[in-house]
Amino acid sequence: MKFRHVSVVRVPMELAYDWWTSFSEEDGDEIGPLLSRRILLGQERELLIEDEYRYLNRRLVLKGRVRIEPTDSYMVEYNGKMLRLSLKYMFAPLVEGTQLVVLGEVKGKGWLRFLLPLLWPRIRREIVEGVEGNVEKVESLFQSDSS
């Protein structure tokens, strides 16, 4: 299942890009969807991570590879027991701040291959809500820094 989501982040592009690509073990919170993150291997432009998410009211641990593509995009490829997920985040400057385009693809494994089309609307909605929650975080951080 593929999707595309576009957001406007009302902060300068450099700030938005730096925030989204500053992977840390302090990322995540209990209101999710990203609950926690472990950095398994960190290099300048490539990371191996283990993220714990909450989707469909279930906890899901996914190992992923992050490829940072300076200065305007990065890609995360997760491979879990039940699914594969790839997300590409692309940033472009706008007068209002930053355009964020997220391209994604989710593939189910095992029995999830058959259920994914039924669950897809809710999973997609939860992914988009997570992206929009991050947009709000970045905007509030910038507003508090510039006050």
Side-chain angles (χ1 to χ4, degrees):
M1 313 291 321
K2 293 183 179 186
F3 72 95
R4 179 177 190 264
H5 178 72
V6 179
S7 296
V8 174
V9 188
R10 289 176 173 38
V11 301
M13 184 179 133
E14 296 77 22
L15 180 67
Y17 177 81
D18 288 348
W19 187 85
W20 255 278
T21 58
S22 66
F23 290 87
S24 139
E25 293 200 353
E26 296 183 18
D27 293 345
D29 58 50
E30 281 305 309
I31 56 175
L34 177 62
L35 302 172
S36 66
R37 167 167 289 147
R38 282 187 33 212
I39 307 294
L40 303 175
L41 177 66
Q43 298 175 353
E44 186 176 335
R45 293 187 183 174
E46 192 162 327
L47 302 155
L48 295 178
I49 59 176
E50 183 178 83
D51 288 348
E52 182 179 6
Y53 284 96
R54 180 183 299 124
Y55 283 114
L56 303 175
N57 292 322
R58 294 180 173 251
R59 289 180 181 256
L60 177 67
V61 175
L62 296 171
K63 288 189 178 179
R65 177 178 304 276
V66 178
R67 287 192 320 266
I68 298 174
E69 302 165 2
T71 57
D72 63 359
S73 66
Y74 75 93
M75 182 163 208
V76 183
E77 294 174 315
Y78 291 106
N79 193 10
K81 292 179 184 176
M82 299 299 295
L83 60 84
R84 289 180 53 89
L85 169 63
S86 64
L87 299 167
K88 180 157 187 159
Y89 291 75
M90 298 176 292
F91 302 83
L94 295 173
V95 172
E96 304 94 328
T98 304
Q99 175 181 278
L100 170 62
V101 177
V102 180
L103 302 177
E105 183 172 14
V106 179
K107 294 180 181 179
K109 294 180 179 179
W111 59 266
L112 190 57
R113 283 182 310 178
F114 305 108
L115 284 180
L116 189 59
L118 299 173
L119 299 172
W120 179 240
R122 184 164 168 202
I123 293 171
R124 185 187 189 290
R125 184 175 62 246
E126 289 183 11
I127 292 170
V128 168
E129 286 172 357
V131 171
E132 289 301 320
N134 283 335
V135 168
E136 291 174 14
K137 279 183 195 176
V138 172
E139 290 176 343
S140 69
L141 285 171
F142 181 73
Q143 289 169 355
S144 64
D145 285 349
S146 60
S147 306

